[in-house]
Amino acid sequence: MTATFITFEGCEGSGKTTQIRLLSEVLTQRGMPHIVTREPGGTEGAEAIRALVTTGDAAAWSPLAEALLFAAARADHIEKRIIPALQAGQWVLCDRFFDSTLVYQGVGKGLGTPFLMQLHHLLFGNFKPDLTLLLDIQPDVGLARAVQRHGDETRFESMGMEFHHAVRDGFLALAAAEADRIQVIKADNDEPTVHISILRALHLYSENPGMPS
Ligand SMILES: Nc1ncnc2c1ncn2[C@@H]1O[C@H](COP(=O)(O)OP(=O)(O)OP(=O)(O)O)[C@@H](O)[C@H]1O
Ligand SMILES: [Mg+2]
């Protein structure tokens, strides 16, 4: 299998970080080289930008400034981390990527997806994930999970329910428009059930655990 760039998308509390950890364990057991990374972040510079955009006042940045900060973080991440890993034959499991920008800044903050797609194309050409797993969940269920978790990255969690419904609908619209890249995973089941759905989507599921699929 050639190195694959897989992104995990979905609302707060949909289980992205949990499911990346579970998938990473399977890849490790099977001796498949990979890295786990996240956006915004993944490099020293991009993690510094993450602190700027995920903490503090939800209205701290203008939507355009916020989108450009995400783009700056992504430029560093793609160049220094994602492309070198893929070139070294490692799979890349990335917690959020460009689809989150399209949905949060494009739909949720009103910048519009066409503008952000143009910006992405200008900066990164046709670079995109080989596969995107969209963990779909009702926003209230996801948020209830997310608020139980401690942390200070609460800027987006603190937005109103209307925002979170727009985010969910935005993700589903992207999945409908790019069905060959984006697979919708039902994320309101328990962790092992969601994990099996993901292994099936990647053709890594084996009825006999431990046996090669
Ligand atoms: N299938 C599940 N059922 C119940 N609880 C879950 C499930 N998956 C994850 N959780 C719990 O819900 C919380 C949020 O999960 P997780 O951090 O993986 O979500 P996330 O999509 O990464 O959220 P965020 O977008 O805020 O980073 C965690 O406390 C996690 O243990
Ligand atoms: Mg997470």
Side-chain angles (χ1 to χ4, degrees), residues 1-10 16-17 19-24 26-27 32-39 77 81-83 85-86 89-99 127-135 180-185 195 197-204:
M1 235 184 227
T2 52
T4 304
F5 177 28
I6 304 171
T7 58
F8 289 70
E9 298 282 6
K16 299 176 293 297
T17 305
Q19 292 299 328
I20 285 177
R21 180 173 47 75
L22 295 174
L23 177 59
S24 173
V26 169
L27 297 185
M32 295 169 69
H34 64 283
I35 64 163
V36 171
T37 187
R38 66 176 184 177
E39 286 220 344
H77 191 208
R81 189 111 197 264
I82 297 176
I83 287 182
L86 293 171
Q90 297 173 311
W91 282 31
V92 175
L93 310 184
C94 188
D95 198 332
R96 294 193 183 277
F97 193 65
F98 173 59
D99 297 302
F127 185 77
K128 60 165 104 162
D130 299 301
L131 175 69
T132 296
L133 298 171
L134 170 57
L135 303 192
D180 50 341
R181 174 173 66 87
I182 305 177
Q183 284 204 35
V184 181
I185 303 286
H195 176 56
S197 303
I198 289 171
L199 293 182
R200 283 189 198 281
L202 294 169
H203 308 292
L204 290 173

Side-chain angles (χ1 to χ4, degrees), residues 60-111:
W61 296 101
S62 82
L64 178 59
E66 188 172 274
L68 294 174
L69 285 167
F70 276 98
R74 184 161 305 130
D76 208 51
H77 191 208
I78 290 175
E79 186 182 323
K80 292 192 188 150
R81 189 111 197 264
I82 297 176
I83 287 182
L86 293 171
Q87 284 176 341
Q90 297 173 311
W91 282 31
V92 175
L93 310 184
C94 188
D95 198 332
R96 294 193 183 277
F97 193 65
F98 173 59
D99 297 302
S100 279
T101 302
L102 283 183
V103 167
Y104 283 82
Q105 280 72 47
V107 179
K109 298 284 185 81
L111 281 180

Side-chain angles (χ1 to χ4, degrees), residues 28-191:
T28 300
Q29 280 163 13
R30 297 189 186 193
M32 295 169 69
H34 64 283
I35 64 163
V36 171
T37 187
R38 66 176 184 177
E39 286 220 344
T43 64
E44 194 182 336
E47 288 290 334
I49 293 175
R50 181 186 183 96
L52 292 175
V53 293
T54 59
T55 57
D57 180 358
W61 296 101
S62 82
L64 178 59
E66 188 172 274
L68 294 174
L69 285 167
F70 276 98
R74 184 161 305 130
D76 208 51
H77 191 208
I78 290 175
E79 186 182 323
K80 292 192 188 150
R81 189 111 197 264
I82 297 176
I83 287 182
L86 293 171
Q87 284 176 341
Q90 297 173 311
W91 282 31
V92 175
L93 310 184
C94 188
D95 198 332
R96 294 193 183 277
F97 193 65
F98 173 59
D99 297 302
S100 279
T101 302
L102 283 183
V103 167
Y104 283 82
Q105 280 72 47
V107 179
K109 298 284 185 81
L111 281 180
T113 50
F115 167 73
L116 292 173
M117 281 177 170
Q118 276 183 317
L119 181 67
H120 183 86
H121 194 69
L122 182 70
L123 298 173
F124 309 117
N126 289 323
F127 185 77
K128 60 165 104 162
D130 299 301
L131 175 69
T132 296
L133 298 171
L134 170 57
L135 303 192
D136 180 53
I137 197 164
Q138 306 88 302
D140 52 335
V141 179
L143 283 171
R145 288 182 187 170
V147 292
Q148 287 187 342
R149 195 192 41 197
H150 296 290
D152 54 3
E153 292 185 348
T154 56
R155 265 207 46 200
F156 289 101
E157 285 167 21
S158 65
M159 305 289 287
M161 280 317 287
E162 203 180 321
F163 177 86
H164 292 290
H165 281 284
V167 164
R168 184 193 190 190
D169 293 346
F171 275 128
L172 289 173
L174 291 181
E178 260 193 277
D180 50 341
R181 174 173 66 87
I182 305 177
Q183 284 204 35
V184 181
I185 303 286
K186 190 169 147 43
D188 55 0
N189 291 320
D190 60 23
E191 288 179 19

